[in-house]
Amino acid sequence: MATFGNLSDRLAETFKNLRTKGKLSAADVDGTVREIRRALLDADVALEVVKEFTGKVRERALGDEVSKALNPAQQVVQIVNDELVTILGGQQRRLEFAKKPPTIIMLAGLQGAGKTTLAGKLAKWLAKDGHTPLLVAADLQRPNAVTQLEVVAKQAGVSVYAPEPGNGVGDPVKVARDGVKYALQKVHDVVIVDTAGRLGVDAELMKQAANIRKAIDPDEVLFVIDAMIGQDAVATAKAFQDGVDFTGVVLTKLDGDARGGAALSVASLTGRPIMFASTGEGLDDFEPFHPDRMAGRILDLGDILTLIEQAQGAFDEDEARKVAEKFATDTFTLDDFLGQMQQLRNMGSIKKMMSMLPGAGAMKQQLENFDEREIVRTEAIIQSMTKLERTTPKLLNGSRRLRIAKGSGSTVTEVNQLVQRFEQAAKMMKTVAKGGMPNIPGMGPIPGAGYGGKPKQVAKKKGSKSGNPAKRAAENAALASGVKPAGENAKADVGGSGFGLGSSAQPGKGKAGGPTDEEMAALQKMLGR
């Protein structure tokens, strides 16, 4: 996550130095805690929180759980992770819905924190869960705030109540109260009230917000805070807590490149949980806040659970089952490949998904260089093909590929690369569908993994299988000297010699039914004569 990127890098570097140590001394622990303290202060985490955090980490790191651990470095990382989860709020806090609808949610915060956009994101998220939210435009102070909320509501596909034009005209308390009545009439089960903000905390702002709260008696008051405003975040949060009070915090602009550590202090210093996080400009860039998952992202331990949830939301289960059957029966086509690419794009930013993988910090440069438009170019190439070409890629000869390249604004090389990627993907997934493990290009086979194909035959050790010790010794000696026994490629003569070394007569080499001169020489050499 961009906002905590610098903090993640500093902590990863600190823990890297611990991994070479088999046992940690008090000096090692003190040095590690000192680096953690510097990293947190550089990230704008409040001094009070830093002191408490590092004190607990040091106390636990010097305790038995580290000194008796098989891997002290991993144990310290676990301690830091646990304490980070604590300052982020501990357990996830969900929205509390009213027993008798509608549930009233009031948004409060400074101007520019992103309240209006967040209202649309929250409404869309609730609508996906089966709710019927109503947005109420009670921000009548900021220019065009009402218009912006109407646009956001249209994009989110939800209803909006905006009786006043805004721009300084209208009574926000009356609008909020009437909005709740309107929701009851139109059977909306959630009301989201967007209130006015200021460039700074002032008495007028607090009085207006407090009056709105008294008028509508909200079930939830969410304090919307910009994760990039630095140390002022803590002072602002305390001012709103004293003036209006709130039940939860929403962090916005977590995709920014500011240090953002002050946002880590809000939950700890106010005692109010962080409930949601806004991670981008799109209406879908919104997610419930999980302290344990956020701690994992900051420590570069990954966030696989959120990644799985996003995949489940974007992928059609029935469609996935059909595609799996096509892989198994070797009927996977470029049309299916296109559908998979489009579902992947529906999940959101590829970079963001990759950043949720454990160890993504080590791939930072590759992630920054990744071009999100590659999927769009791939779609253009496939859509330039005819229906027959998509279902039968073997038809794609040189002239067809040239036509496709011109039609999609790409080159023949790019078309060739796409077809090659498709064939590799189909081959890999077919192996997986049959219960094997794929040979990933550029990585080779996975050690210890089974494969769908036939196992390789182990070369048998050459040597005589005779039950006669003398015969077995003679045949092995002959093989060692490079001479093949006659019986290896031909059936042995029943009337062979006593040693069984061969029965065919070889003119000039030996008598019929007796050993050849080479066999005799090898036998004499073995017997030491």
Side-chain angles (χ1 to χ4, degrees), residues 287-305:
E287 59 190 49
F289 187 86
H290 298 265
D292 54 339
R293 300 184 191 181
M294 182 58 68
R297 292 194 209 182
I298 292 173
L299 296 178
D300 199 22
L301 302 177
D303 186 1
I304 298 299
L305 289 176

Side-chain angles (χ1 to χ4, degrees), residues 304-447:
I304 298 299
L305 289 176
T306 299
L307 188 58
I308 291 171
E309 288 173 1
Q310 290 185 2
Q312 288 174 335
F315 280 79
D316 186 323
E317 195 173 332
D318 292 334
E319 186 64 28
R321 192 178 295 109
K322 291 176 184 177
V323 169
E325 290 173 359
K326 289 189 175 185
F327 277 130
T329 56
D330 208 13
T331 56
F332 187 68
T333 67
L334 278 163
D335 262 333
D336 301 317
F337 188 62
L338 176 62
Q340 293 295 297
M341 296 284 283
Q342 289 171 337
Q343 286 196 41
L344 184 64
R345 191 174 65 171
N346 290 340
M347 286 180 64
S349 169
I350 305 295
K351 289 183 184 179
K352 197 177 295 180
M353 288 188 291
M354 292 290 286
S355 68
M356 293 181 192
L357 296 174
M363 303 186 294
K364 184 174 289 187
Q365 190 64 41
Q366 293 92 321
L367 288 174
E368 288 177 358
N369 294 333
F370 179 77
D371 188 359
E372 298 270 0
R373 295 171 296 177
E374 185 64 32
I375 294 181
V376 178
R377 287 192 283 268
T378 299
E379 290 178 358
I381 293 173
I382 297 177
Q383 288 168 345
S384 295
M385 300 177 185
T386 65
K387 188 71 176 175
L388 184 62
E389 288 168 345
R390 294 184 205 176
T391 54
T392 317
K394 292 180 180 179
L395 294 175
L396 295 174
N397 55 25
S399 61
R400 287 176 183 263
R401 296 187 186 207
L402 179 61
R403 188 204 80 240
I404 293 166
K406 289 181 178 179
S408 59
S410 57
T411 63
V412 175
T413 303
E414 290 174 326
V415 176
N416 293 340
Q417 289 172 345
L418 169 62
V419 175
Q420 187 178 10
R421 287 200 305 270
F422 163 73
E423 291 173 347
Q424 286 177 345
K427 186 177 180 181
M428 287 170 61
M429 296 311 296
K430 183 181 178 182
T431 304
V432 172
K434 290 186 176 181
M437 290 295 291
N439 188 345
I440 301 174
M443 291 180 64
I446 300 173

